[in-house]
């Protein structure tokens, strides 16, 4: 993709790539970034004035204070944060009124896209509940192990990683959280598990999109191209070189993620509130970690960035389920939640797990078959070699330029995971021999449950897009966008210790944009240029940017809202972010330290 491509050409290439689901949300980032990518000022690590950096931080601080500090629900916090972002963008960055409106409309289109996915996930859960499959699945998991720590690892870490590898875009949480709710987890615990696993597999999610589109698109500028060629690399070989470093850093940090899951589950939702009960499952947690990270790393080295999460998740799931059935590494003492009557009210959502409906003819294989259909559909539509994804992505009803601003937004209704969820529901009607009344009821239930997420998302996504679109293409101040201003200031302060800070910039990008791919698009070139300036290895610094962007997915507001909506949990976004901050901080600290040592 050449730096001089017209915005329409860039949009076409991104929207019609078979692995472009993330990048379809990021077209405008190309528009404002690429024309400026070769400007010396844009690539310089000279910091913006401190006051501008503080003002650029205001929208993020507002979100954090309201959600985490004052514990307001996202439905009340996000409208305030959106208003603050508009004021800073208009008064300080001098973004044009047209730009503010266009970016806000783009955010609304993104919100509709995300609600489409949420509705599909809710409908699938309601369908399986009505058919009786939920009760059968619960019994099957209890048959593998009644231990909730084991169930969380199998469903969240392994099955979720496989779904991330196939689809990305928050789909694992949308599938894993409702499934764990159906297994009898508190709604809040199910969402927490779904969010924490949005880390290690994310950089290779959607068949490698954060690397193939995010990093590749972010480094598509003269400075990076010249340095890559001078180092003896081709664009593809350098991307694979970066991908291997991403996988190494993820494997190092991700090895402890299943143990984090267990400790957080018992600490926050156990009767004794003891992390020790979770840590007691360390043999199974570490075994499950290596069952995923070893094939994950091998795929990155041998096959490239498309398949680490996909193959790692599939192989890990097969190995760990087989081992758990035989009792290998499984904790001797079974851990379970306290009786439901003793749960805190905040833990429970508006959706009750349907565990009483059961049909005599429903086998375990038939109950699980819809999830297999989802996995297959996600896989065949995300593999470029099959061409089906490109055909589905050809149906694009999004505007190329909202109000003539140059900001566009693709909506790919047939490529979306939401559509695949709905198709799976239709297939399930036949597989589970559902009656017309059951089908109608499942649609009513899903539609009523969707309303809770709508308010927060219709303000969160416009806020994010105004924040990102505040760059020179839409402002009269000549200032770089707010995210880039923050990154430049951080680089100036850190100096030679920049690799320690690099993952936090990636996490910042993911927090405000809700996407590792978009974070890489925004900051990969900046990270590359900063590494050159301080004499560090650019491949390692870009890699830890991608890793930080994956870790930031754990606390992204719209991921939290979306995952919560799938289990009917409304108003607990701040509490969830406070919990998932812990593994996110761990992830950035460890990978930053490793990158600092490695990049020297």
């Amino acid at each position: 993709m050449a730096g001089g491509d017209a915005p329409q050409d860039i949009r076409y290439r991104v929207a019609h790539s078979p692995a472009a689901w993330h990048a379809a949300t990021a077209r405008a980032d190309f528009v404002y970034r690429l024309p400026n990518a070769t400007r010396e000022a844009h690539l310089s690590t000279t910091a913006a004035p401190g006051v501008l950096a503080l003002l650029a931080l205001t929208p993020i601080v507002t979100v954090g204070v309201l959600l985490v500090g004052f514990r307001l629900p996202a439905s009340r916090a996000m409208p305030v944060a959106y208003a603050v972002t508009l004021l800073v963008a208009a008064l300080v960055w001098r973004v044009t009124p047209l730009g503010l409106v266009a970016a806000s409309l783009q955010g609304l289109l993104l919100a509709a896209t995300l609600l489409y996915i949420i509705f599909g996930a809710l409908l699938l859960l309601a369908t399986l509940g009505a058919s009786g499959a939920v009760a059968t699945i619960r019994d099957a998991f209890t048959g593998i192990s009644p231990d909730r720590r084991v169930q969380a690892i199998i469903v969240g870490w392994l099955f979720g990683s496989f779904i991330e590898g196939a689809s990305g875009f928050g789909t694992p949480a949308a599938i894993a959280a409702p499934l764990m709710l159906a297994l009898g987890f508190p709604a809040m615990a199910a969402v927490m598990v779904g969010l924490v696993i949005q880390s290690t597999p994310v950089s290779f999610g959607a068949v490698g999109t954060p690397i193939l589109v995010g990093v590749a698109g972010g480094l598509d500028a003269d400075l990076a191209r010249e340095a890559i060629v001078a180092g003896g690399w081709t664009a593809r070989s350098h991307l694979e070189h970066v991908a291997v470093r991403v996988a190494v850093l993820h494997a190092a940090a991700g090895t402890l993620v299943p143990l984090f899951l267990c400790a957080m589950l018992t600490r926050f939702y156990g009767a004794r509130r003891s992390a020790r009960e979770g840590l007691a499952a360390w043999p199974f947690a570490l075994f499950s970690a290596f069952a995923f990270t070893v094939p994950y790393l091998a795929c990155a080295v041998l096959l490239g960035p498309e398949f680490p999460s996909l193959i790692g998740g599939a192989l890990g799931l097969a190995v760990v389920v087989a081992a758990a059935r035989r009792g290998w590494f499984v904790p001797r003492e079974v851990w379970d939640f306290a009786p439901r009557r003793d749960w805190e009210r905040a833990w429970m959502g508006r959706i009750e797990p349907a565990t009483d409906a059961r049909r005599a003819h429903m086998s375990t294989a038939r109950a699980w078959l819809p999830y297999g259909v989802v996995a297959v559909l996600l896989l065949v539509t995300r593999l470029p070699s099959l061409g089906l994804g490109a055909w589905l992505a050809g149906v694009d009803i999004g505007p190329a330029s909202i109000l003539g601003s140059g900001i566009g937004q693709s909506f790919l209704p047939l490529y979306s995971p939401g559509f695949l969820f709905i198709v799976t529901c239709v297939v399930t009607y036949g597989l589970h021999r559902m009656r017309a009344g059951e089908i109608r009821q499942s649609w009513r239930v899903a539609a009523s449950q969707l309303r809770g997420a709508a308010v927060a998302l219709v303000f969160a996504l416009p806020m994010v897009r105004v924040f990102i679109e505040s760059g020179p293409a839409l402002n009269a101040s000549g200032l770089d966008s707010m995210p880039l201003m923050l990154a430049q200031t951080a680089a100036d302060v850190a100096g030679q210790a920049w690799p320690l800070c690099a993952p936090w910039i990636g996490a910042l990008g993911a927090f405000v944009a809700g996407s590792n791919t978009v974070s890489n698009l925004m900051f990969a070139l900046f990270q590359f240029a900063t590494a050159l300036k301080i004499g560090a290895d650019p491949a390692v610094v870009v890699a830890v940017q991608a890793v930080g962007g994956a870790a930031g997915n754990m606390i992204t507001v719209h991921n939290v809202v979306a995952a919560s909506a799938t289990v009917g949990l409304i108003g607990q976004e701040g509490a969830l972010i406070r919990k998932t901050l812990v593994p996110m901080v761990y992830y950035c600290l460890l990978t930053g330290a490793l990158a600092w040592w490695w990049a020297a």
Side-chain angles (χ1 to χ4, degrees), residues 19 65 110 134 142 192-193 202 209 215 255 277 348 368 377 418 429 443 471 528 536 572:
V65 168
L110 278 169
V134 161
T142 303
M192 183 193 74
V193 172
V202 168
T209 296
V215 172
T255 296
E277 292 179 315
M348 294 182 280
W368 266 103
L377 288 175
Y429 300 154
W443 280 78
F528 191 98
Q572 298 299 323

Side-chain angles (χ1 to χ4, degrees), residues 188-212:
M188 191 180 234
V191 174
M192 183 193 74
V193 172
L195 291 171
V196 171
I197 64 99
Q198 290 285 281
S199 50
T200 309
V202 168
S203 288
F204 300 104
V207 201
T209 296
I211 304 297
L212 295 172

Side-chain angles (χ1 to χ4, degrees), residues 8-185:
Q8 292 83 359
D9 294 332
I10 294 167
R11 180 178 180 276
Y12 180 88
R13 295 186 188 189
V14 173
H16 293 78
S17 167
W21 176 249
H22 284 291
T25 69
R27 208 276 309 168
D29 293 317
F30 283 102
V31 173
Y32 83 75
R33 182 177 48 75
L34 289 179
N36 298 292
T38 57
R39 292 188 300 121
E40 183 65 22
H42 191 71
L43 296 177
S44 171
T45 54
T46 301
V51 65
L52 286 175
L54 290 174
L55 288 169
L57 194 60
T58 304
I60 298 171
V61 171
T62 301
V63 172
V65 168
L66 294 180
L67 283 178
V68 181
F70 288 96
R71 305 190 178 188
L72 293 180
S75 59
R76 294 172 60 190
M78 298 317 298
V80 176
Y82 173 55
V84 169
T85 307
L86 284 177
L87 286 174
V88 174
L91 300 180
V92 181
W93 264 255
R94 295 167 60 196
V95 176
T96 64
L98 177 65
L100 294 175
V101 173
S104 297
L105 290 175
Q106 185 196 28
L108 290 175
L109 291 174
L110 278 169
T113 300
L114 192 54
L115 288 169
Y116 181 43
I117 299 172
I118 295 169
F119 175 74
L122 290 171
L123 182 62
L124 181 58
L125 177 64
T127 300
L128 296 181
S131 75
V134 161
T136 302
I137 289 172
R138 178 187 174 99
D139 291 346
F141 264 106
T142 303
I144 295 174
S145 173
D147 196 304
R148 300 299 188 176
R149 298 165 296 185
V150 173
Q151 293 174 1
I153 289 173
I154 291 175
V155 176
W157 171 247
L158 295 167
F159 184 57
S161 293
F162 170 75
I163 295 299
E164 175 66 31
S167 180
F169 201 66
T171 308
I175 293 178
L179 180 53
M180 284 185 284
L181 178 74
L183 294 172
F185 280 61

Side-chain angles (χ1 to χ4, degrees), residues 201-362:
V202 168
S203 288
F204 300 104
V207 201
T209 296
I211 304 297
L212 295 172
V213 176
V215 172
L219 296 182
D220 189 13
D222 289 344
L223 175 80
R225 283 193 294 267
E226 291 169 4
I228 290 168
V229 171
W233 305 96
T234 64
R236 174 69 189 192
S237 65
H238 181 263
L239 199 63
E240 293 173 347
H241 181 64
V242 171
V244 170
R245 279 142 185 77
V246 171
V248 170
L249 292 170
H250 268 312
T255 296
L256 293 184
V257 167
L259 195 58
F260 259 101
L261 278 181
C262 294
M264 292 173 71
L265 203 62
T266 60
R267 170 63 181 85
F268 295 124
Y269 304 103
R272 299 184 183 88
R273 300 294 198 280
S274 170
R276 286 187 177 182
E277 292 179 315
L279 296 175
W282 68 266
F284 187 80
L286 292 180
F287 168 67
S288 301
F290 287 122
F292 170 71
T293 57
V294 170
Y296 170 93
L297 183 56
C299 284
V301 173
L302 300 175
L303 302 178
E306 288 89 350
F307 298 110
S309 296
L310 193 69
I311 294 178
L315 290 179
L317 185 63
V319 168
V320 172
V321 167
R325 288 187 183 280
R326 291 167 174 77
W328 298 349
F329 306 107
V330 173
R332 292 182 180 178
E333 294 185 12
V334 173
W335 183 86
D336 200 352
F337 302 107
R340 188 177 180 86
R341 64 177 179 273
D342 297 331
W343 292 359
E344 294 182 14
R345 193 169 185 177
W347 297 359
M348 294 182 280
R350 299 176 184 175
I351 301 175
E352 293 291 331
T355 58
D356 52 346
R358 185 177 282 103
R359 298 184 182 183
H361 64 271
M362 181 72 73

